[in-house]
């Protein structure tokens, strides 16, 4: 093929732009934002002032228990998970019955930090197990317990009964958590000076109550919490619902719950340190409620806001990890499992070597148009040694002339599929970026999600092809390679996503998210790139038969002179094929979301 004499550095420029884009997104996501400016129109419900406790000390008797009573621990199941032991157990509750709990213990003799990790409402401790495993890998023994409402029949469907039972269950939760501290301190490998509490949503609210009465804990993380259940159900957004209840029922419930509202106790947390984390667009805990709760907290306290809803982004978890590392001495980073670390390191090295070999060959021994250089290096960046193998196989052909044999068509199709996959997966990074950094966009309709999932890879794939052809504008053979570019791009994108999307979805849901929780991942997270590379390989395999078909139909004409004849396709045949492959893509996306 003719070679453009200008020594363009297009591939380096594009790689640099990608790194800069990723760095910019990561930097934006890693920074907390300013507190929102909101008008607080909430006021305590009727008769509330008559039941507010004067001091935290006056209410300590409500949460007192016999700390010398036997814990009566009964182990029910033990399992191992990549360097941590997960022990299901029960222990005696000071208020009667037994507390279902899970203890996650890192391997080694310690000393370790101790951590209580409390779930939201309605939920059970199992929802936080992936995060507990992550905390254990960071150097903490983690205890999770089911809240009392989750232990009773129907509690997950009706966690708040609006009877005096709610008061009893809230008091029981606090005493059960205090017994959880006793359980942690009974283990010799737990450092009593390094205890912390992490609560999410309801757990974040109840953490404020616990902080006022339990001072053995040195640090409290109160994530997306508010002032308590009374605050939660009597806000302006709930007023019509709240006022629909009988007046006497409202007054009785407030009389039971207001004296043990966490906002009265979080002011007594000192000397324990507090970390508040909230979202500016949280509908479950409106910013006004969160601000009121934060202002009530005692010093020392740290407040972080994020542009997010009730589910905070990975940046919030990283801030949490750094804060806990300073407070109780755990590591502030995720630890890769040994096997995954070795595998990903080996793959990364193979990508670097493959990239270098291809670059040397493209510039030194096998001259090629600059557009071909750009796309080949992009393909090898995703496909690694698989892409290098495709490069060598598809490149073994004469310098010119028409190739009719099956082997040559198969080899050229291998290269074509690799190119298409690289462009589409580059757009796939844009989809991942939206999921990671703009989660509110994906809180919308399923149709919008599917549209974005298809449109961004299609657009970026088409843009990659256009840039490649522009860089090789002096090469007529390269310009004539794609006879029907939009048709080829549309069908190929559908097929690439048919293979790639389920891989990313299943790997992230089954392995990445459970392992990385609660710290998530970003565009520089190595396992995420491992998932994208695997998705690229599968996407290339799925789209390969179509590229072979296109080459045999002269829709793609690599290595042929510009004047070569082409067998045109009917417009309705193209439309049917596009719709069919789009339907297959939708089915694959739907199936992967169901089985993830």
């Amino acid at each position: 093929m003719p070679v453009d004499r200008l020594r363009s550095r297009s591939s380096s420029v594009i790689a640099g732009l990608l790194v800069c884009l990723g760095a910019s997104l990561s930097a934006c996501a890693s920074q907390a934002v300013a507190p929102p400016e909101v008008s607080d129109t909430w006021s305590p419900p009727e008769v509330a002032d008559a039941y507010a406790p004067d001091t935290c000390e006056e209410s300590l008797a409500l949460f007192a228990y016999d700390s010398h009573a036997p814990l009566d621990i009964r182990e029910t199941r033990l399992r191992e998970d990549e360097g941590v032991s997960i022990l299901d157990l029960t222990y005696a509750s000071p208020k009667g019955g037994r507390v279902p709990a899970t203890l996650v213990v890192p391997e080694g003799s310690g000393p370790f930090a101790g951590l209580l990790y409390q779930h939201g409402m309605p939920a059970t401790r199992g929802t936080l197990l992936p995060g507990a495993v992550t905390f254990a890998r960071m150097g903490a023994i983690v205890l999770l317990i089911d809240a009392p409402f989750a232990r009773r029949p129907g509690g997950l469907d009706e966690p708040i009964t609006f009877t005096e039972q709610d008061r009893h269950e809230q008091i029981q939760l606090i005493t059960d958590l205090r017994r959880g501290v006793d359980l942690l301190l009974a283990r010799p490998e737990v450092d009593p000076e390094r205890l912390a509490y992490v609560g999410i949503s309801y757990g974040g609210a109840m953490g404020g109550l616990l902080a006022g009465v339990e001072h053995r804990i040195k640090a409290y993380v109160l994530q997306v919490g508010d002032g308590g259940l009374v605050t939660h159900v009597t806000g302006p957004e709930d007023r019509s619902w709240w006022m629909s209840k009988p007046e006497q029922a409202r007054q009785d419930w407030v009389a039971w719950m207001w004296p043990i509202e966490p906002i009265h106790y979080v002011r007594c947390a000192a000397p324990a340190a507090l970390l508040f984390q909230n979202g500016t667009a949280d509908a479950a805990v409106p910013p006004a409620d969160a601000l009121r709760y934060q202002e009530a907290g005692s010093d020392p306290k740290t407040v972080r806001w994020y542009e997010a809803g009730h589910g905070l982004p990975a940046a919030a978890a990283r801030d949490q990890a750094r804060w806990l590392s300073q407070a109780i001495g755990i590591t502030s980073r995720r630890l890769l499992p040994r096997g995954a670390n070795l595998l990903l390191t080996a793959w990364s090295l193979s990508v670097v070597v493959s990239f270098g070999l291809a670059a040397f060959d493209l510039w030194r021994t096998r001259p090629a148009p600059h557009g071909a250089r750009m796309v080949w290096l992009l393909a090898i960046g995703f496909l690694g040694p698989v892409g290098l193998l495709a490069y060598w196989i598809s490149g073994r052909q004469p310098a010119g002339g028409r190739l009719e044999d099956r082997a040559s068509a198969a080899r050229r199709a291998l290269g074509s599929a690799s190119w298409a996959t690289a462009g589409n997966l580059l757009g796939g990074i844009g989809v991942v970026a939206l999921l990671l950094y703009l989660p509110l966009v994906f809180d919308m309709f399923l149709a919008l999600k599917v549209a974005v999932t298809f449109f961004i890879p299609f657009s970026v794939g088409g843009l990659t092809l256009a840039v490649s052809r522009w860089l090789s504008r002096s090469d007529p053979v390269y310009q004539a390679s794609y006879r029907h570019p939009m048709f080829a791009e549309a069908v190929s994108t559908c097929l690439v996503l048919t293979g790639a999307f389920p891989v990313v979805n299943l790997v992230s849901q089954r392995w990445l998210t459970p392992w990385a929780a609660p710290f998530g991942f970003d565009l520089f997270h190595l396992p995420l790139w491992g998932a994208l590379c695997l998705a690229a390989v599968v996407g290339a395999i799925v789209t390969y038969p179509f590229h072979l078909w296109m080459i045999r139909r002269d829709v793609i004409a690599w290595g042929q002179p510009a004047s070569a004849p082409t067998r045109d396709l009917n417009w309705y045949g193209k439309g049917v094929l596009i719709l069919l492959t789009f339907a297959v893509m939708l089915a694959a996306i739907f199936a992967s979301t169901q089985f993830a």
Side-chain angles (χ1 to χ4, degrees):
M1 292 184 179
V3 181
D4 191 339
R5 298 295 183 183
L6 297 176
R7 304 299 295 245
S8 170
R9 295 292 182 252
S10 58
S11 58
S12 300
V13 171
I14 289 178
L17 289 174
L18 290 175
V19 171
C20 290
L21 175 61
S24 300
L25 289 171
S26 182
C28 290
S30 65
Q31 294 178 356
V33 298
E37 295 183 4
V38 295
S39 176
D40 189 359
T41 60
W42 180 86
S43 59
E46 60 274 17
V47 307
D49 290 342
Y51 297 100
D54 294 329
T55 66
C56 294
E57 289 75 14
E58 290 177 353
S59 299
L60 287 179
L62 288 174
F63 309 101
Y65 66 96
D66 182 4
S67 61
H68 300 292
L71 285 165
D72 190 20
I73 298 173
R74 301 176 188 174
E75 300 179 4
T76 58
R77 184 172 62 154
L78 174 66
R79 57 195 186 277
E80 304 291 333
D81 183 1
E82 288 287 348
V84 301
S85 299
I86 303 173
L87 177 64
D88 290 329
L89 55 88
T90 64
Y91 61 90
S93 170
K95 300 298 182 180
R98 301 192 63 78
V99 182
T102 298
L103 193 68
V104 186
V105 183
E107 63 183 9
S109 58
F112 300 114
L115 184 69
L116 293 176
Y117 198 18
Q118 192 56 42
H119 62 76
M121 173 187 286
T124 66
R125 70 188 191 281
T127 59
L128 297 184
L129 184 57
V133 171
T134 300
F135 278 126
R137 288 176 177 148
M138 295 169 64
I141 293 182
V142 186
L143 180 67
L144 310 98
I145 72 169
D146 281 345
F149 71 80
R151 306 172 203 169
R152 57 177 162 84
L156 295 180
D157 296 325
E158 192 180 9
I160 304 177
T161 66
F162 291 99
T163 67
E164 194 172 4
Q165 182 175 357
D166 295 334
R167 173 183 173 86
H168 296 320
E169 288 184 347
Q170 187 160 307
I171 293 172
Q172 181 171 14
L173 173 62
I174 300 305
T175 56
D176 290 347
L177 287 169
R178 298 190 73 189
R179 280 306 262 168
V181 175
D182 295 339
L183 188 152
L184 288 172
L185 293 179
R187 300 185 66 92
E189 68 268 45
V190 172
D191 185 346
E193 299 300 318
R194 297 165 57 205
L195 299 180
Y197 172 94
V198 177
I200 299 175
S201 190
Y202 170 76
M206 295 303 108
L209 175 50
L210 181 66
V213 299
E214 179 52 76
H215 296 293
R216 291 174 293 179
I217 296 177
K218 306 301 180 185
Y220 287 85
V221 176
L222 309 177
Q223 181 175 325
V224 292
D226 57 19
L229 292 181
V230 177
T231 301
H232 195 74
V233 303
T234 61
E237 67 282 356
D238 302 306
R239 180 167 180 78
S240 59
W241 172 85
W242 170 249
M243 295 304 294
S244 68
K245 294 185 174 296
E247 181 179 359
Q248 189 60 50
R250 296 198 310 268
Q251 292 181 357
D252 289 344
W253 193 74
V254 170
W256 293 322
M257 300 302 296
W258 188 245
I260 57 171
E261 187 79 347
I263 200 167
H264 303 314
Y265 295 83
V266 72
R267 58 188 172 88
C268 303
L274 304 176
L275 171 63
F276 293 93
Q277 294 181 297
N278 292 91
T280 58
D282 193 340
V285 176
D289 290 354
L291 283 165
R292 200 180 316 115
Y293 188 40
Q294 294 166 0
E295 290 170 0
S298 60
D299 290 321
K301 62 183 173 184
T302 303
V303 177
R304 293 284 184 268
W305 284 91
Y306 305 89
E307 292 182 352
H310 202 57
L312 299 185
R318 290 191 292 273
D319 289 344
Q320 183 182 122
R322 285 190 289 267
W323 189 84
L324 284 171
S325 71
Q326 297 174 356
I328 59 171
I330 61 174
T331 180
S332 62
R333 60 188 177 88
R334 303 180 297 271
L335 300 177
L336 276 170
R338 286 190 296 270
N341 186 37
L342 291 174
L343 181 62
L344 288 169
T345 300
W347 176 262
S348 300
L349 290 175
S350 70
V351 170
V352 172
V353 172
S354 300
F355 196 88
L357 290 174
F360 178 82
D361 192 66
L362 282 167
W363 262 274
R364 297 295 182 184
T365 63
R366 193 179 311 193
H370 290 307
R373 291 174 176 175
M374 180 197 78
V375 186
W376 266 125
L377 293 180
L378 186 61
I380 292 171
F382 279 108
L383 298 167
V386 177
L388 181 64
L389 181 63
Y391 167 72
W392 285 112
I393 293 175
S394 63
R396 286 207 305 267
Q397 50 185 289
R402 189 178 180 84
L403 303 176
E404 300 288 356
D405 60 287
R406 284 177 72 90
S408 295
R411 289 199 298 266
R412 286 186 288 152
L414 185 61
S416 177
S418 301
W419 283 28
T421 302
N424 295 147
L425 261 293
L426 187 61
I429 295 178
V431 177
V432 173
L434 283 178
L435 286 168
L436 293 176
Y437 303 130
L438 297 175
L440 292 178
V441 173
F442 277 74
D443 286 341
M444 301 180 188
F445 301 107
L446 177 62
L448 177 61
K449 297 181 183 181
V450 173
V452 170
T453 300
F454 172 79
F455 180 74
I456 294 180
F458 174 79
S459 300
V460 176
L463 179 62
T464 302
L465 173 62
V467 172
S468 172
R469 296 182 73 179
W470 180 81
L471 290 172
S472 304
R473 56 193 179 277
S474 62
D475 187 336
V477 176
Y478 190 88
Q479 291 295 310
S481 295
Y482 283 87
R483 310 288 176 79
H484 304 273
M486 295 304 295
F487 163 71
E489 184 63 35
V491 176
S492 182
T493 299
C494 288
L495 293 173
V496 168
L497 294 180
T498 297
F501 186 93
V503 171
V504 172
N505 192 42
L506 291 171
V507 170
S508 63
Q509 295 298 320
R510 292 285 185 91
W511 185 69
L512 276 184
T513 301
W515 172 79
F519 304 102
F521 41 84
D522 53 30
L523 288 182
F524 293 97
H525 185 42
L526 188 60
L528 174 61
W529 280 95
L532 289 173
C533 290
L534 179 61
V537 172
V538 175
I541 293 172
V542 172
T543 198
Y544 171 80
F546 172 67
H547 283 261
L548 180 59
W549 179 85
M550 286 195 296
I551 284 178
R552 288 176 176 169
R553 296 277 305 183
D554 294 324
V555 177
I556 297 176
W558 283 13
Q560 299 182 43
S563 59
T566 180
R567 287 178 281 176
D568 204 357
L569 301 172
N570 294 324
W571 66 267
Y572 55 84
K574 296 177 185 177
V576 168
L577 192 54
I578 290 173
L579 291 176
L580 179 62
T581 53
F582 188 76
V584 171
M585 180 195 73
L586 291 181
I589 291 175
F590 177 78
S592 68
T593 56
Q594 297 303 305
F595 292 105

